[in-house]
Amino acid sequence: MIGNLRTVDDSLFIETAEGVALRGSRCADCGAYTFPYQGGCPRCTGDSMIEVPLSRTGTLWSWTVQGFRPKPPYTGTADSYGVGYVELPGELIVEARLTEADPERLRIGMPVELVLVPFRTDESGVDVHTFAFGEARHD
Amino acid sequence: MTDVAIVGIGMHRFGRTDGVSGRAQAVHAAREALRDAGLRFSDLRFGFGGSHSAGDADTLVSELGLTGLPFINVANGCATGGSALIAADAAIRSGQHDLGIVIGFDKHPRGAFNTDPAEHGIGAWYGETGLMVTTQFFGMKIQRYLHDTGIDPAVLATIAEKAFRNGARNPMAWRRKEISAAEIAAAPMISHPLTQYMYCSPGEGAVALVLCRADRAREYTGRPVLLRSAAFRSRRYGSFEVFAPWLAAERADSPTVEASRAAFEAAGIDPSEVDVAQVQDTESGAELMHLAETGLCAHGEQEKLIADGDTELDGRLPVNTDGGCIANGEPIGASGLRQVYENVLQLRGAAGAHQVPGEPRVGFTHVYGAPGISACTVLTR
């Protein structure tokens, strides 16, 4: 559970004073970021990664719309949904579902922010959440 | 070091062949390649081969002949064929062996690939939430590329139209019916901005190549083709690849850029000298981007190149002359070797209805695939 929500994988998240953030890692030697957290640095090949919350806001770097229901291992309820890469300034570019799936309402460079969204229910009918980005409300 | 020649080529038609296993298609391709070189399987001294989902290549010897030759399985995703070829190239170039075969084959179920994230070291959440889908990557890569270069998205349908036109001229292709750019553009959207007819499909097929020391090539064929170079690269920190939950903030060249540069350098040939090219067209945006990543043209130049007809069979730089992945489908283990097969046909002047005019001398091939790999070759006659 993250902030009273059931998630697809709690290890992806970290709770901060500003709210739930994605749990990434930063290399103590070279400063490179990763998501999710991992022990080895893909840039300098060292193993001094430290756990960090990633920025909860960013800009849309690229996007598409999934147009057909994916085969398993997909378990979500939606057959079609937006997918994008979001640039978190100074950190990395993270892949995520988007809350918007209308091509007319998506553009590269638009400000977006992290939200947790239900994408399926579990066997007892409880919503299971994953992370997504949606248009930043304060823009 | 000795040079390496391709002296025999064989193929089982790509597409869907119900009732014929991938292994049987591989045996057919191997026998065709041996026949082409005037050899028996017992003449060969080594084999390299592989498939992604149709069985182990080394078991083909039960059908081809139990001669004791070292036959090594290669399993390297989309670069399986290319990696087998690189291994064969090294075996001959080093003097370890004089004569051998590479075989790539596959037979995939219908529909898009469904890959287990665990095989790629990614958590189950990635698949469960609907991100482990190759078609999304291609949609997002071309979306960003069109944004950066200002190229008109209409070119995506033009590229697929050429693929079907070339496929219609190729008796070994899967898709042999021409489809207009208008119909391609209006097809159901798979992953915006790419429609159904802009993507290739997983399919079936097999290719085999017989290779030998170049100084002995004339013993087997009157039309040897030299494998001038074969190079393989994986991704670097900062490149944008399929199945990537995140990308580095800083950008780096793709493995395509590095593999093609290495192949051209090893061959001592400049990209401007290429007469015929087969580049990975998992979808039409991939052909667009790979044309520039391989060095065959500059970024942004593709739109004019395509509009001028330069990439057509009779153009200045014919590309994907057999219809590419879009018209042939993508049996993973065989796909890279199909490109080499096609270039050998072109350099021999034996491609029939899809022959490039003007007696091409230099052929280039390029494979790209998961999880961010590329394999390239340069062939000359």
Side-chain angles (χ1 to χ4, degrees):
Chain A
M1 302 287 277
I2 295 289
N4 295 326
L5 297 177
R6 167 131 197 234
T7 79
V8 65
D9 184 342
D10 287 353
S11 75
L12 300 174
F13 305 100
I14 189 166
E15 298 192 55
T16 74
E18 289 76 41
V20 175
L22 295 175
R23 175 176 170 263
S25 48
R26 184 171 60 82
C27 177
D29 296 331
C30 80
Y33 285 80
T34 78
F35 174 77
Y37 174 88
Q38 66 181 56
C41 177
R43 181 160 68 181
C44 74
T45 74
D47 62 354
S48 308
M49 303 299 278
I50 48 179
E51 176 184 291
V52 290
L54 298 176
S55 171
R56 303 178 66 257
T57 59
T59 54
L60 193 59
W61 188 81
S62 191
W63 60 272
T64 188
V65 176
Q66 174 66 25
F68 61 94
R69 182 174 179 79
K71 288 180 178 178
Y74 178 58
T75 57
T77 47
D79 291 344
S80 178
Y81 46 90
V83 178
Y85 277 95
V86 173
E87 183 156 24
L88 307 178
E91 297 177 351
L92 50 72
I93 300 170
V94 66
E95 186 180 17
R97 284 177 64 148
L98 302 175
T99 58
E100 181 60 66
D102 178 358
E104 297 302 317
R105 298 171 60 87
L106 292 166
R107 62 181 168 79
I108 288 173
M110 68 188 278
V112 289
E113 65 184 8
L114 181 72
V115 286
L116 264 62
V117 293
F119 78 102
R120 70 156 190 255
T121 54
D122 68 10
E123 53 286 351
S124 49
V126 175
D127 281 338
V128 181
H129 293 74
T130 188
F131 60 96
F133 281 83
E135 189 164 13
R137 280 166 297 187
H138 46 73
D139 183 38
Chain B
M1 283 200 298
T2 179
D3 286 326
V4 178
I6 298 171
V7 293
I9 60 173
M11 176 183 253
H12 185 283
R13 188 175 177 276
F14 278 34
R16 295 258 174 239
T17 312
D18 291 340
V20 180
S21 70
R23 291 181 74 261
Q25 296 182 37
V27 168
H28 174 85
R31 292 211 176 277
E32 289 294 309
L34 288 165
R35 194 183 338 273
D36 186 41
L39 289 164
R40 297 173 64 85
F41 191 69
S42 53
D43 296 320
L44 302 178
R45 289 293 163 266
F46 71 86
F48 289 97
S51 82
H52 185 265
S53 42
D56 291 336
D58 68 333
T59 66
L60 298 172
V61 296
S62 61
E63 177 75 17
L64 291 170
L66 302 173
T67 65
L69 92 168
F71 199 117
I72 297 176
N73 288 326
V74 178
N76 214 6
C78 301
T80 293
S83 299
L85 188 59
I86 285 169
D89 180 72
I92 294 170
R93 218 170 277 278
S94 68
Q96 184 185 18
H97 292 296
D98 292 346
L99 180 64
I101 193 166
V102 300
I103 307 175
F105 60 104
D106 245 313
K107 189 177 179 88
H108 303 297
R110 288 167 203 279
F113 291 111
N114 54 334
T115 310
D116 180 1
E119 288 177 15
H120 288 255
I122 306 174
W125 62 273
Y126 193 68
E128 289 176 32
T129 60
L131 299 180
M132 194 85 191
V133 184
T134 53
T135 43
Q136 292 172 2
F137 162 76
F138 293 107
M140 288 190 280
K141 187 174 178 195
I142 188 64
Q143 192 90 270
R144 179 76 198 185
Y145 191 79
L146 295 173
H147 173 266
D148 287 347
T149 57
I151 290 175
D152 183 350
V155 76
L156 299 173
T158 312
I159 290 169
E161 182 183 45
K162 168 178 68 71
F164 292 117
R165 187 161 54 242
N166 290 352
R169 291 166 167 246
N170 174 11
M172 302 301 266
W174 182 6
R175 316 285 189 194
R176 302 209 55 213
K177 183 171 146 286
E178 294 194 29
I179 305 180
S180 73
E183 194 180 343
I184 291 163
M189 197 65 85
I190 295 291
S191 193
H192 193 281
L194 299 166
T195 71
Q196 182 181 354
Y197 294 148
M198 296 177 188
Y199 278 99
C200 80
S201 304
E204 305 172 19
V207 177
L209 307 172
V210 174
L211 297 100
C212 75
R213 291 171 56 110
D215 57 4
R216 292 179 52 186
R218 295 275 169 192
E219 296 175 29
Y220 312 114
T221 180
R223 300 175 295 179
V225 168
L226 294 178
L227 176 61
R228 296 287 293 270
S229 63
F232 174 92
R233 290 292 185 274
S234 67
R235 65 197 188 277
R236 280 193 191 271
Y237 183 78
S239 65
F240 179 20
E241 311 300 339
V242 64
F243 298 149
W246 64 281
L247 315 175
E250 61 201 58
R251 302 264 55 80
D253 282 342
S254 73
T256 289
V257 172
E258 300 206 346
S260 51
R261 186 183 297 142
F264 282 121
E265 281 177 9
I269 284 175
D270 190 82
S272 63
E273 297 176 72
V274 170
D275 296 316
V276 56
Q278 318 299 330
V279 305
Q280 181 81 28
D281 60 333
T282 315
E283 38 72 38
S284 49
E287 177 171 321
L288 183 80
M289 295 182 284
H290 291 149
L291 276 173
E293 289 186 17
T294 54
L296 293 172
C297 72
H299 287 285
E301 195 186 355
Q302 302 99 315
E303 197 173 358
K304 181 174 179 348
L305 211 65
I306 291 162
D308 291 351
D310 286 353
T311 60
E312 302 285 342
L313 286 181
D314 58 355
R316 181 173 62 79
L317 176 64
V319 174
N320 292 334
T321 48
D322 63 353
C325 291
I326 292 175
N328 286 280
E330 192 177 19
I332 286 181
S335 200
L337 297 182
R338 169 187 56 77
Q339 298 177 327
V340 176
Y341 176 99
E342 169 65 8
N343 273 358
V344 172
L345 276 188
Q346 292 289 347
L347 298 190
R348 286 178 176 179
H354 63 291
Q355 176 66 45
V356 165
E359 300 182 348
R361 294 194 61 84
V362 177
F364 173 75
T365 71
H366 157 263
V367 164
Y368 170 82
I373 53 88
S374 180
C376 298
T377 72
V378 175
L379 304 184
T380 62
R381 63 175 171 85

